[in-house]
Amino acid sequence: MSEDEELSNTRRLPTLDKEPDASDPSEPSPDAKDASATADGEQAGRFWSERRVPVAIVALVLLGATGLMLYDVVAVRADHPAMSWRRQLADHLATRPLDSPWVLGIAAAAALIGLWLLVLALTPGLREVLPMRRTTSGIRAGLDRSAAALILRDRAMEVPGVQSVKMSVTRRKAKARAFSHFRELEEVRSDLDAALGDGLQQLGLSHRLRLSLKVRRPKKR
């Protein structure tokens, strides 16, 4: 084999390289911007409940009332007498004054039901789920409050001197009630404050919870 043929066989094959960006090389790419923007996590709002039970109840009530009224109207159009309940309701509405207790009671009940439906429509619900920081675009995560309380309780039980801990988590606060059977209470409280503070940070919640901590001696039996 000649030297030219050997060079042609050992010649480096072409590779697919990324085309250089025509923009300023000092400016970070969009992917780098997204990565840096989501590195610390973005705050996320609460999860919205689907409200299946209230929606199903309202839909069934409206469907039943509409079907009953439609049936009665069709019956009247077919030269059949109207239902007795509709005749009585029409007579009551025509003769009963507006300040009657029955009229006021029914109006108050209808207003309360409407207000309840408005509250359900304008509030997120799902109070048991705590939203977590968004570290990836398009993905949301939540942590159940009971799970968060269990994680923090395990953290608190690792502190020396802690005998038992009662942990509760609300939407804005984490409450810890600890019992210490040895060590000074101030030392235990300081260690618990540090341990639970780190635990709250590592939960990755969108809104960090305020910590309420109480440490005392167990009751003597």
Side-chain angles (χ1 to χ4, degrees):
M1 181 182 294
S2 64
E3 184 177 355
D4 294 338
E5 292 177 351
E6 184 177 357
L7 289 175
S8 63
N9 291 335
T10 59
R11 185 179 301 155
R12 182 182 177 184
L13 295 176
T15 58
L16 286 175
D17 295 330
K18 185 177 179 180
E19 294 183 0
D21 194 356
S23 60
D24 187 1
S26 62
E27 183 180 355
S29 63
D31 294 339
K33 290 181 180 179
D34 295 340
S36 61
T38 59
D40 297 332
E42 300 175 359
Q43 289 189 351
R46 289 173 55 189
F47 289 86
W48 282 76
S49 174
E50 296 181 358
R51 313 287 192 188
R52 294 179 178 177
V53 175
V55 168
I57 293 175
V58 173
L60 289 176
V61 170
L62 292 178
L63 181 62
T66 304
L68 193 61
M69 290 293 295
L70 182 60
Y71 173 81
D72 194 43
V73 170
V74 172
V76 172
R77 291 291 184 179
D79 296 332
H80 291 283
M83 292 184 179
S84 59
W85 66 268
R86 192 159 73 94
R87 294 197 301 268
Q88 294 177 2
L89 180 61
D91 293 338
H92 283 299
L93 292 177
T95 58
R96 193 176 294 273
L98 295 179
D99 58 351
S100 171
W102 281 99
V103 176
L104 295 177
I106 294 174
L112 289 177
I113 293 174
L115 181 61
W116 174 62
L117 293 176
L118 285 176
V119 170
L120 292 181
L122 298 177
T123 55
L126 290 181
R127 300 174 62 89
E128 295 297 323
V129 180
L130 300 174
M132 303 179 69
R133 289 192 299 269
R134 301 182 66 174
T135 57
T136 304
S137 177
I139 297 178
R140 296 190 63 193
L143 181 63
D144 192 80
R145 278 163 45 180
S146 60
L150 183 60
I151 294 172
L152 295 175
R153 177 186 174 276
D154 292 342
R155 274 299 190 94
M157 290 299 297
E158 295 176 357
V159 175
V162 175
Q163 183 182 28
S164 63
V165 180
K166 294 180 180 179
M167 199 79 206
S168 62
V169 174
T170 63
R171 289 196 300 114
R172 293 184 174 88
K173 185 182 292 186
K175 301 178 182 179
R177 303 294 179 265
F179 296 91
S180 174
H181 57 300
F182 70 93
R183 296 182 67 197
E184 294 293 332
L185 293 183
E186 290 300 326
E187 295 179 0
V188 176
R189 183 180 291 107
S190 178
D191 292 346
L192 275 175
D193 186 71
L196 293 177
D198 292 340
L200 289 173
Q201 181 66 30
Q202 293 179 5
L203 287 179
L205 299 178
S206 176
H207 302 279
R208 183 167 179 176
L209 304 176
R210 297 194 307 270
L211 179 60
S212 174
L213 177 61
K214 290 185 179 180
V215 183
R216 55 187 175 179
R217 298 293 185 192
K219 295 181 179 180
K220 295 182 179 180
R221 297 181 180 179

